[in-house]
Amino acid sequence: MQRLIRVATFVVDSLAVASFTGVFLCVLVQVVLRYGFDRPLVWSDELARYLFVWCAFLGWIVAARRRSHLAIGVLADRCRPRGRAAFALIAAVTAIVFSAVLFAYGVQITSRNADVETVALFFPFALVYAIVPVAAAAVILYAIADAIAAWRVLFAAKTS
């Protein structure tokens, strides 16, 4: 199981770096060709846009794994461990619900666009939208792990 987690972590991190690098290179080449040579590429803007979408969702997975999302911790920071665990449990359940809704709609939009081609590129829109349910499923798994950890703190606090 740990090996699978390490492989998945490596794949997500590598895809995040690759998508960000792709966005950067697409925009850089487009600027150089458009303003330096007056010969813009037809497809680079579109590819940069789609890579940015992937980069954002992959970043969501990375942030969920690292527990580094923005949070307002004023109340939780003033609580004892059990209170912090309660806030963590609420946050995890909220993330699960949000991600589940996003997963359901992501599957729908991906399947509906399986036969719709992108404007200037050679692949269907389903490939662009596929990251939505994948990221939502990954975040659900991380949120479940967070919820279990918070539940254990709450349960351990009651018995001690």
Side-chain angles (χ1 to χ4, degrees), residues 32-66:
V32 169
L33 290 177
R34 177 173 292 181
Y35 297 108
F37 299 100
D38 200 28
R39 298 276 185 199
L41 292 174
V42 176
W43 52 267
S44 67
D45 287 340
E46 187 175 13
L47 181 58
R49 199 173 319 128
Y50 300 151
L51 287 173
F52 183 76
V53 169
W54 271 69
C55 186
F57 278 96
L58 291 166
W60 183 36
I61 296 171
V62 171
R65 182 182 73 232
R66 295 181 180 175

mmCIF file of all heavy atoms in Angstrom, residues 32-66:
data_model
loop_
_atom_site.group_PDB
_atom_site.id
_atom_site.type_symbol
_atom_site.label_atom_id
_atom_site.label_comp_id
_atom_site.label_asym_id
_atom_site.label_seq_id
_atom_site.Cartn_x
_atom_site.Cartn_y
_atom_site.Cartn_z
ATOM 1 N N VAL A 32 7.311 35.044 -27.848
ATOM 2 C CA VAL A 32 8.471 35.224 -28.730
ATOM 3 C C VAL A 32 8.050 35.182 -30.194
ATOM 4 O O VAL A 32 8.454 36.044 -30.994
ATOM 5 C CB VAL A 32 9.547 34.152 -28.434
ATOM 6 C CG1 VAL A 32 10.629 34.141 -29.508
ATOM 7 C CG2 VAL A 32 10.168 34.387 -27.066
ATOM 8 N N LEU A 33 7.235 34.219 -30.560
ATOM 9 C CA LEU A 33 6.822 34.108 -31.959
ATOM 10 C C LEU A 33 5.887 35.236 -32.382
ATOM 11 O O LEU A 33 5.979 35.722 -33.517
ATOM 12 C CB LEU A 33 6.181 32.749 -32.213
ATOM 13 C CG LEU A 33 7.136 31.542 -32.165
ATOM 14 C CD1 LEU A 33 6.372 30.250 -32.356
ATOM 15 C CD2 LEU A 33 8.230 31.676 -33.194
ATOM 16 N N ARG A 34 5.012 35.645 -31.486
ATOM 17 C CA ARG A 34 4.055 36.692 -31.848
ATOM 18 C C ARG A 34 4.723 38.061 -31.959
ATOM 19 O O ARG A 34 4.529 38.774 -32.936
ATOM 20 C CB ARG A 34 2.921 36.759 -30.825
ATOM 21 C CG ARG A 34 1.930 37.888 -31.124
ATOM 22 C CD ARG A 34 0.740 37.829 -30.226
ATOM 23 N NE ARG A 34 -0.019 36.621 -30.578
ATOM 24 C CZ ARG A 34 -1.148 36.244 -30.008
ATOM 25 N NH1 ARG A 34 -1.668 36.973 -29.042
ATOM 26 N NH2 ARG A 34 -1.754 35.150 -30.372
ATOM 27 N N TYR A 35 5.521 38.419 -30.963
ATOM 28 C CA TYR A 35 6.094 39.764 -30.944
ATOM 29 C C TYR A 35 7.494 39.830 -31.544
ATOM 30 O O TYR A 35 7.921 40.879 -32.004
ATOM 31 C CB TYR A 35 6.096 40.311 -29.518
ATOM 32 C CG TYR A 35 4.703 40.468 -28.976
ATOM 33 C CD1 TYR A 35 4.219 39.614 -27.993
ATOM 34 C CD2 TYR A 35 3.853 41.444 -29.482
ATOM 35 C CE1 TYR A 35 2.931 39.741 -27.516
ATOM 36 C CE2 TYR A 35 2.562 41.578 -29.010
ATOM 37 C CZ TYR A 35 2.100 40.721 -28.021
ATOM 38 O OH TYR A 35 0.824 40.838 -27.556
ATOM 39 N N GLY A 36 8.209 38.712 -31.550
ATOM 40 C CA GLY A 36 9.548 38.711 -32.123
ATOM 41 C C GLY A 36 9.567 38.436 -33.612
ATOM 42 O O GLY A 36 10.357 39.021 -34.350
ATOM 43 N N PHE A 37 8.688 37.557 -34.060
ATOM 44 C CA PHE A 37 8.697 37.142 -35.462
ATOM 45 C C PHE A 37 7.391 37.443 -36.186
ATOM 46 O O PHE A 37 7.276 37.133 -37.366
ATOM 47 C CB PHE A 37 8.992 35.640 -35.559
ATOM 48 C CG PHE A 37 10.336 35.260 -35.001
ATOM 49 C CD1 PHE A 37 10.452 34.726 -33.734
ATOM 50 C CD2 PHE A 37 11.485 35.462 -35.745
ATOM 51 C CE1 PHE A 37 11.683 34.374 -33.212
ATOM 52 C CE2 PHE A 37 12.724 35.112 -35.241
ATOM 53 C CZ PHE A 37 12.836 34.568 -33.975
ATOM 54 N N ASP A 38 6.418 37.978 -35.479
ATOM 55 C CA ASP A 38 5.103 38.278 -36.053
ATOM 56 C C ASP A 38 4.463 37.038 -36.687
ATOM 57 O O ASP A 38 3.786 37.130 -37.696
ATOM 58 C CB ASP A 38 5.207 39.420 -37.069
ATOM 59 C CG ASP A 38 3.865 40.085 -37.319
ATOM 60 O OD1 ASP A 38 3.014 40.065 -36.400
ATOM 61 O OD2 ASP A 38 3.663 40.622 -38.437
ATOM 62 N N ARG A 39 4.705 35.885 -36.077
ATOM 63 C CA ARG A 39 4.159 34.602 -36.543
ATOM 64 C C ARG A 39 3.604 33.823 -35.346
ATOM 65 O O ARG A 39 4.214 32.872 -34.876
ATOM 66 C CB ARG A 39 5.253 33.768 -37.204
ATOM 67 C CG ARG A 39 5.866 34.370 -38.421
ATOM 68 C CD ARG A 39 5.007 34.052 -39.595
ATOM 69 N NE ARG A 39 5.670 34.547 -40.795
ATOM 70 C CZ ARG A 39 5.049 34.741 -41.905
ATOM 71 N NH1 ARG A 39 3.774 34.467 -41.996
ATOM 72 N NH2 ARG A 39 5.677 35.199 -42.951
ATOM 73 N N PRO A 40 2.438 34.170 -34.846
ATOM 74 C CA PRO A 40 1.910 33.467 -33.665
ATOM 75 C C PRO A 40 1.479 32.040 -33.999
ATOM 76 O O PRO A 40 1.098 31.742 -35.133
ATOM 77 C CB PRO A 40 0.704 34.311 -33.261
ATOM 78 C CG PRO A 40 0.277 34.971 -34.528
ATOM 79 C CD PRO A 40 1.538 35.203 -35.327
ATOM 80 N N LEU A 41 1.599 31.196 -33.007
ATOM 81 C CA LEU A 41 1.110 29.833 -33.146
ATOM 82 C C LEU A 41 -0.398 29.816 -32.950
ATOM 83 O O LEU A 41 -0.941 30.570 -32.134
ATOM 84 C CB LEU A 41 1.757 28.923 -32.103
ATOM 85 C CG LEU A 41 3.250 28.662 -32.260
ATOM 86 C CD1 LEU A 41 3.765 27.877 -31.073
ATOM 87 C CD2 LEU A 41 3.515 27.910 -33.550
ATOM 88 N N VAL A 42 -1.070 28.943 -33.650
ATOM 89 C CA VAL A 42 -2.522 28.860 -33.560
ATOM 90 C C VAL A 42 -2.949 28.128 -32.289
ATOM 91 O O VAL A 42 -3.929 28.474 -31.648
ATOM 92 C CB VAL A 42 -3.091 28.139 -34.807
ATOM 93 C CG1 VAL A 42 -4.586 27.944 -34.684
ATOM 94 C CG2 VAL A 42 -2.729 28.889 -36.068
ATOM 95 N N TRP A 43 -2.191 27.130 -31.877
ATOM 96 C CA TRP A 43 -2.619 26.206 -30.834
ATOM 97 C C TRP A 43 -2.053 26.480 -29.447
ATOM 98 O O TRP A 43 -2.530 25.922 -28.470
ATOM 99 C CB TRP A 43 -2.248 24.789 -31.238
ATOM 100 C CG TRP A 43 -0.803 24.646 -31.630
ATOM 101 C CD1 TRP A 43 -0.293 24.734 -32.883
ATOM 102 C CD2 TRP A 43 0.301 24.425 -30.758
ATOM 103 N NE1 TRP A 43 1.068 24.578 -32.852
ATOM 104 C CE2 TRP A 43 1.457 24.382 -31.549
ATOM 105 C CE3 TRP A 43 0.432 24.258 -29.390
ATOM 106 C CZ2 TRP A 43 2.724 24.183 -31.028
ATOM 107 C CZ3 TRP A 43 1.689 24.060 -28.855
ATOM 108 C CH2 TRP A 43 2.824 24.020 -29.677
ATOM 109 N N SER A 44 -1.043 27.327 -29.323
ATOM 110 C CA SER A 44 -0.356 27.446 -28.030
ATOM 111 C C SER A 44 -1.215 28.084 -26.941
ATOM 112 O O SER A 44 -1.116 27.702 -25.773
ATOM 113 C CB SER A 44 0.954 28.202 -28.188
ATOM 114 O OG SER A 44 0.704 29.544 -28.544
ATOM 115 N N ASP A 45 -2.049 29.059 -27.291
ATOM 116 C CA ASP A 45 -2.935 29.664 -26.282
ATOM 117 C C ASP A 45 -3.899 28.641 -25.712
ATOM 118 O O ASP A 45 -4.121 28.572 -24.498
ATOM 119 C CB ASP A 45 -3.745 30.825 -26.879
ATOM 120 C CG ASP A 45 -2.913 32.054 -27.141
ATOM 121 O OD1 ASP A 45 -1.831 32.170 -26.532
ATOM 122 O OD2 ASP A 45 -3.350 32.893 -27.946
ATOM 123 N N GLU A 46 -4.459 27.833 -26.611
ATOM 124 C CA GLU A 46 -5.419 26.821 -26.173
ATOM 125 C C GLU A 46 -4.737 25.768 -25.301
ATOM 126 O O GLU A 46 -5.257 25.392 -24.241
ATOM 127 C CB GLU A 46 -6.076 26.174 -27.389
ATOM 128 C CG GLU A 46 -7.202 25.243 -27.035
ATOM 129 C CD GLU A 46 -7.926 24.696 -28.263
ATOM 130 O OE1 GLU A 46 -7.416 24.829 -29.395
ATOM 131 O OE2 GLU A 46 -9.002 24.119 -28.062
ATOM 132 N N LEU A 47 -3.577 25.298 -25.703
ATOM 133 C CA LEU A 47 -2.865 24.297 -24.922
ATOM 134 C C LEU A 47 -2.463 24.859 -23.553
ATOM 135 O O LEU A 47 -2.612 24.183 -22.537
ATOM 136 C CB LEU A 47 -1.632 23.792 -25.664
ATOM 137 C CG LEU A 47 -0.822 22.715 -24.953
ATOM 138 C CD1 LEU A 47 -1.689 21.487 -24.664
ATOM 139 C CD2 LEU A 47 0.399 22.341 -25.775
ATOM 140 N N ALA A 48 -2.005 26.099 -23.518
ATOM 141 C CA ALA A 48 -1.632 26.724 -22.239
ATOM 142 C C ALA A 48 -2.837 26.807 -21.309
ATOM 143 O O ALA A 48 -2.724 26.561 -20.100
ATOM 144 C CB ALA A 48 -1.050 28.114 -22.477
ATOM 145 N N ARG A 49 -3.987 27.135 -21.851
ATOM 146 C CA ARG A 49 -5.210 27.224 -21.052
ATOM 147 C C ARG A 49 -5.573 25.873 -20.444
ATOM 148 O O ARG A 49 -5.891 25.768 -19.260
ATOM 149 C CB ARG A 49 -6.351 27.728 -21.940
ATOM 150 C CG ARG A 49 -7.518 28.294 -21.224
ATOM 151 C CD ARG A 49 -8.536 28.936 -22.171
ATOM 152 N NE ARG A 49 -7.892 29.707 -23.230
ATOM 153 C CZ ARG A 49 -8.150 29.543 -24.532
ATOM 154 N NH1 ARG A 49 -9.032 28.663 -24.940
ATOM 155 N NH2 ARG A 49 -7.522 30.276 -25.434
ATOM 156 N N TYR A 50 -5.505 24.816 -21.236
ATOM 157 C CA TYR A 50 -5.856 23.484 -20.746
ATOM 158 C C TYR A 50 -4.823 22.962 -19.745
ATOM 159 O O TYR A 50 -5.184 22.320 -18.755
ATOM 160 C CB TYR A 50 -6.013 22.506 -21.903
ATOM 161 C CG TYR A 50 -7.091 22.901 -22.889
ATOM 162 C CD1 TYR A 50 -7.010 22.540 -24.220
ATOM 163 C CD2 TYR A 50 -8.192 23.670 -22.494
ATOM 164 C CE1 TYR A 50 -7.984 22.904 -25.129
ATOM 165 C CE2 TYR A 50 -9.161 24.041 -23.397
ATOM 166 C CZ TYR A 50 -9.058 23.659 -24.707
ATOM 167 O OH TYR A 50 -10.018 24.025 -25.597
ATOM 168 N N LEU A 51 -3.569 23.237 -19.996
ATOM 169 C CA LEU A 51 -2.528 22.838 -19.045
ATOM 170 C C LEU A 51 -2.683 23.580 -17.727
ATOM 171 O O LEU A 51 -2.410 23.022 -16.660
ATOM 172 C CB LEU A 51 -1.141 23.081 -19.641
ATOM 173 C CG LEU A 51 -0.701 22.124 -20.728
ATOM 174 C CD1 LEU A 51 0.615 22.593 -21.346
ATOM 175 C CD2 LEU A 51 -0.569 20.707 -20.198
ATOM 176 N N PHE A 52 -3.125 24.832 -17.794
ATOM 177 C CA PHE A 52 -3.344 25.592 -16.562
ATOM 178 C C PHE A 52 -4.471 24.971 -15.734
ATOM 179 O O PHE A 52 -4.388 24.905 -14.505
ATOM 180 C CB PHE A 52 -3.663 27.055 -16.881
ATOM 181 C CG PHE A 52 -3.834 27.894 -15.655
ATOM 182 C CD1 PHE A 52 -2.728 28.295 -14.920
ATOM 183 C CD2 PHE A 52 -5.091 28.268 -15.227
ATOM 184 C CE1 PHE A 52 -2.881 29.060 -13.773
ATOM 185 C CE2 PHE A 52 -5.252 29.025 -14.084
ATOM 186 C CZ PHE A 52 -4.143 29.431 -13.349
ATOM 187 N N VAL A 53 -5.516 24.508 -16.391
ATOM 188 C CA VAL A 53 -6.614 23.838 -15.683
ATOM 189 C C VAL A 53 -6.073 22.595 -14.980
ATOM 190 O O VAL A 53 -6.349 22.369 -13.791
ATOM 191 C CB VAL A 53 -7.760 23.472 -16.662
ATOM 192 C CG1 VAL A 53 -8.766 22.548 -15.999
ATOM 193 C CG2 VAL A 53 -8.436 24.736 -17.182
ATOM 194 N N TRP A 54 -5.295 21.792 -15.687
ATOM 195 C CA TRP A 54 -4.709 20.599 -15.082
ATOM 196 C C TRP A 54 -3.794 20.970 -13.926
ATOM 197 O O TRP A 54 -3.810 20.330 -12.875
ATOM 198 C CB TRP A 54 -3.945 19.798 -16.141
ATOM 199 C CG TRP A 54 -4.825 18.805 -16.828
ATOM 200 C CD1 TRP A 54 -5.846 19.078 -17.695
ATOM 201 C CD2 TRP A 54 -4.777 17.398 -16.676
ATOM 202 N NE1 TRP A 54 -6.430 17.921 -18.093
ATOM 203 C CE2 TRP A 54 -5.793 16.861 -17.499
ATOM 204 C CE3 TRP A 54 -3.971 16.534 -15.956
ATOM 205 C CZ2 TRP A 54 -6.022 15.501 -17.592
ATOM 206 C CZ3 TRP A 54 -4.190 15.174 -16.047
ATOM 207 C CH2 TRP A 54 -5.212 14.677 -16.865
ATOM 208 N N CYS A 55 -2.993 22.013 -14.118
ATOM 209 C CA CYS A 55 -2.067 22.460 -13.071
ATOM 210 C C CYS A 55 -2.837 22.870 -11.817
ATOM 211 O O CYS A 55 -2.429 22.530 -10.695
ATOM 212 C CB CYS A 55 -1.232 23.626 -13.602
ATOM 213 S SG CYS A 55 0.075 24.170 -12.505
ATOM 214 N N ALA A 56 -3.938 23.563 -11.986
ATOM 215 C CA ALA A 56 -4.735 24.002 -10.835
ATOM 216 C C ALA A 56 -5.310 22.812 -10.069
ATOM 217 O O ALA A 56 -5.237 22.752 -8.838
ATOM 218 C CB ALA A 56 -5.859 24.928 -11.302
ATOM 219 N N PHE A 57 -5.861 21.841 -10.786
ATOM 220 C CA PHE A 57 -6.445 20.684 -10.104
ATOM 221 C C PHE A 57 -5.375 19.786 -9.487
ATOM 222 O O PHE A 57 -5.577 19.222 -8.407
ATOM 223 C CB PHE A 57 -7.352 19.898 -11.051
ATOM 224 C CG PHE A 57 -8.726 20.490 -11.167
ATOM 225 C CD1 PHE A 57 -9.040 21.353 -12.198
ATOM 226 C CD2 PHE A 57 -9.703 20.203 -10.234
ATOM 227 C CE1 PHE A 57 -10.303 21.915 -12.298
ATOM 228 C CE2 PHE A 57 -10.970 20.756 -10.321
ATOM 229 C CZ PHE A 57 -11.265 21.621 -11.355
ATOM 230 N N LEU A 58 -4.247 19.645 -10.161
ATOM 231 C CA LEU A 58 -3.147 18.885 -9.566
ATOM 232 C C LEU A 58 -2.620 19.585 -8.318
ATOM 233 O O LEU A 58 -2.254 18.948 -7.331
ATOM 234 C CB LEU A 58 -2.028 18.673 -10.586
ATOM 235 C CG LEU A 58 -2.375 17.725 -11.735
ATOM 236 C CD1 LEU A 58 -1.366 17.848 -12.860
ATOM 237 C CD2 LEU A 58 -2.484 16.296 -11.244
ATOM 238 N N GLY A 59 -2.598 20.915 -8.354
ATOM 239 C CA GLY A 59 -2.217 21.683 -7.172
ATOM 240 C C GLY A 59 -3.182 21.466 -6.026
ATOM 241 O O GLY A 59 -2.776 21.448 -4.849
ATOM 242 N N TRP A 60 -4.462 21.299 -6.339
ATOM 243 C CA TRP A 60 -5.464 21.016 -5.311
ATOM 244 C C TRP A 60 -5.155 19.674 -4.630
ATOM 245 O O TRP A 60 -5.235 19.555 -3.404
ATOM 246 C CB TRP A 60 -6.846 20.998 -5.958
ATOM 247 C CG TRP A 60 -7.997 20.783 -5.037
ATOM 248 C CD1 TRP A 60 -8.139 21.231 -3.753
ATOM 249 C CD2 TRP A 60 -9.208 20.075 -5.341
ATOM 250 N NE1 TRP A 60 -9.356 20.851 -3.244
ATOM 251 C CE2 TRP A 60 -10.030 20.141 -4.192
ATOM 252 C CE3 TRP A 60 -9.668 19.416 -6.467
ATOM 253 C CZ2 TRP A 60 -11.291 19.550 -4.149
ATOM 254 C CZ3 TRP A 60 -10.920 18.842 -6.420
ATOM 255 C CH2 TRP A 60 -11.721 18.916 -5.271
ATOM 256 N N ILE A 61 -4.761 18.684 -5.440
ATOM 257 C CA ILE A 61 -4.407 17.383 -4.869
ATOM 258 C C ILE A 61 -3.186 17.516 -3.965
ATOM 259 O O ILE A 61 -3.164 16.986 -2.843
ATOM 260 C CB ILE A 61 -4.138 16.353 -5.988
ATOM 261 C CG1 ILE A 61 -5.388 16.095 -6.812
ATOM 262 C CG2 ILE A 61 -3.617 15.051 -5.396
ATOM 263 C CD1 ILE A 61 -5.140 15.265 -8.067
ATOM 264 N N VAL A 62 -2.176 18.220 -4.440
ATOM 265 C CA VAL A 62 -0.949 18.398 -3.649
ATOM 266 C C VAL A 62 -1.256 19.132 -2.344
ATOM 267 O O VAL A 62 -0.778 18.750 -1.274
ATOM 268 C CB VAL A 62 0.131 19.132 -4.472
ATOM 269 C CG1 VAL A 62 1.321 19.517 -3.608
ATOM 270 C CG2 VAL A 62 0.584 18.273 -5.652
ATOM 271 N N ALA A 63 -2.051 20.179 -2.427
ATOM 272 C CA ALA A 63 -2.406 20.935 -1.218
ATOM 273 C C ALA A 63 -3.208 20.080 -0.247
ATOM 274 O O ALA A 63 -3.003 20.165 0.972
ATOM 275 C CB ALA A 63 -3.196 22.186 -1.593
ATOM 276 N N ALA A 64 -4.095 19.236 -0.753
ATOM 277 C CA ALA A 64 -4.867 18.343 0.126
ATOM 278 C C ALA A 64 -3.945 17.334 0.799
ATOM 279 O O ALA A 64 -4.089 17.050 1.994
ATOM 280 C CB ALA A 64 -5.960 17.626 -0.664
ATOM 281 N N ARG A 65 -2.994 16.813 0.043
ATOM 282 C CA ARG A 65 -2.058 15.841 0.613
ATOM 283 C C ARG A 65 -1.199 16.481 1.699
ATOM 284 O O ARG A 65 -0.953 15.887 2.741
ATOM 285 C CB ARG A 65 -1.163 15.269 -0.490
ATOM 286 C CG ARG A 65 -0.193 14.223 0.032
ATOM 287 C CD ARG A 65 0.728 13.680 -1.038
ATOM 288 N NE ARG A 65 1.721 14.668 -1.402
ATOM 289 C CZ ARG A 65 1.969 15.061 -2.641
ATOM 290 N NH1 ARG A 65 1.296 14.567 -3.654
ATOM 291 N NH2 ARG A 65 2.903 15.953 -2.884
ATOM 292 N N ARG A 66 -0.760 17.702 1.469
ATOM 293 C CA ARG A 66 0.112 18.390 2.431
ATOM 294 C C ARG A 66 -0.657 19.123 3.521
ATOM 295 O O ARG A 66 -0.047 19.717 4.407
ATOM 296 C CB ARG A 66 0.991 19.395 1.699
ATOM 297 C CG ARG A 66 1.964 18.760 0.756
ATOM 298 C CD ARG A 66 2.800 19.807 0.086
ATOM 299 N NE ARG A 66 3.744 19.210 -0.843
ATOM 300 C CZ ARG A 66 4.540 19.907 -1.628
ATOM 301 N NH1 ARG A 66 4.510 21.231 -1.580
ATOM 302 N NH2 ARG A 66 5.352 19.293 -2.443
#
